[in-house]
Amino acid sequence: MLQWILKKIFGDKNQRERRRLWPTVEKVNEIERQYQSLSDDQLRAKTDEFKARIEQARKARGYYELMEKARRYQAALRSDEAKIE
């Protein structure tokens, strides 16, 4: 009985999850409306803008240095494995 009352007040797990996600859904829908109004050329420009933003963030966060470090580490591991065999 208590569980039934709580479910009526707070909803089941799916209802709570939908309530939690609804603000995100509204934001996505708003962005979709904005993008639907763009021409093909404007969409291509947005794609270029996103690529530039991703590249800028990668540089700012040291992505390329980390990838180079990982390549050197992998090369060293392969070298060590070759010495064992």
Side-chain angles (χ1 to χ4, degrees), residues 14-75:
N14 288 329
Q15 290 168 330
R16 289 190 308 270
E17 188 67 10
R18 281 194 305 262
R19 274 196 304 267
R20 185 182 72 79
L21 292 173
W22 190 249
T24 303
V25 171
E26 289 178 331
K27 288 177 187 176
V28 169
N29 288 339
E30 177 58 32
I31 292 169
E32 178 187 20
R33 284 188 288 276
Q34 292 171 1
Y35 279 73
Q36 284 177 339
S37 67
L38 298 177
S39 70
D40 288 346
D41 289 336
Q42 290 171 319
L43 285 172
R44 284 186 199 93
K46 277 287 185 191
T47 300
D48 293 338
E49 176 190 330
F50 291 145
K51 287 179 180 180
R53 287 170 57 185
I54 289 169
E55 182 67 21
Q56 183 181 13
R58 283 180 170 176
K59 287 178 181 176
R61 294 183 176 168
Y63 170 82
Y64 294 109
E65 292 83 4
L66 182 62
M67 290 303 291
E68 181 57 34
K69 194 176 196 180
R71 282 189 210 98
R72 285 194 308 265
Y73 181 72
Q74 281 184 324

